[in-house]
Amino acid sequence: ETGVTQTPRHLVMGMTNKKSLKCEQHLGHNAMYWYKQSAKKPLELMFVYNFKEQTENNSVPSRFSPECPNSSHLFLHLHTLQPEDSALYLCASSQDLVSYNEQFFGPGTRLTVL
Amino acid sequence: ILNVEQSPQSLHVQEGDSTNFTCSFPSSNFYALHWYRWETAKSPEALFVMTLNGDEKKKGRISATLNTKEGYSYLYIKGSQPEDSATYLCAHTGTASKLTFGTGTRLQVTL
């Protein structure tokens, strides 16, 4: 157990659906992240939040909408996704944004878009 | 080097063998180099974070070295065990908050 939980673990959705991914960390960390891993590609940073404020949007399409209501919770709202958005979505947290802080990852949500 | 590159992509060794992997990264604008271990169906888990040229870190049978001037890091596993089977990821930070990952080295250790 890393102290970071994600729900659901698996999600299948149609292109017209709206769904949300949830991440919760029990570590008292201030920074939270969303990553995407597509097949045969490296983990790709999507969004960074620090003290609930978004500090990085890595050119992510607007059909992905993050929300961070407090330092312990992070959501990724999904709407009108494309089949190429099928991937593993990982959430992570770290004490703060300092580069030498290790990140603690959740188990991921495996998303399939039909 | 513009991105993070890891080699080999995959590796198959027998129990008891020692092995090592390479991570290459941009040597300019360096902040930190992270190594993570990712077992199938589990979460990636941090092994080491290194920041200084010449850093060497060790955790049990696993160790890592860092050369920031030439832009590479080595991960060593001594006496591999089946439980070492996992994907080993390295990640470079060229800015304070953004980790850039390599595609990983997938290690399989058999009896």
Side-chain angles (χ1 to χ4, degrees), chain A residues 2 35 37 42-43 45 56 58 88 90 97-103 105-107, chain B residues 31-32 34 36 38 41 43-44 46 49 51 89 93 96-99 101-103:
Chain A
T2 62
Y35 287 90
Q37 185 176 42
L43 274 172
L45 181 67
E56 180 116 14
N58 200 25
L88 180 69
L90 286 165
L97 289 185
V98 176
S99 61
Y100 52 77
N101 282 337
E102 62 187 62
Q103 294 187 10
F105 286 84
Chain B
Y31 279 76
H34 295 229
Y36 289 84
W38 194 359
S43 309
V49 181
T51 57
L89 301 174
T93 55
S97 62
K98 184 174 177 178
L99 280 179
F101 281 85
T103 50

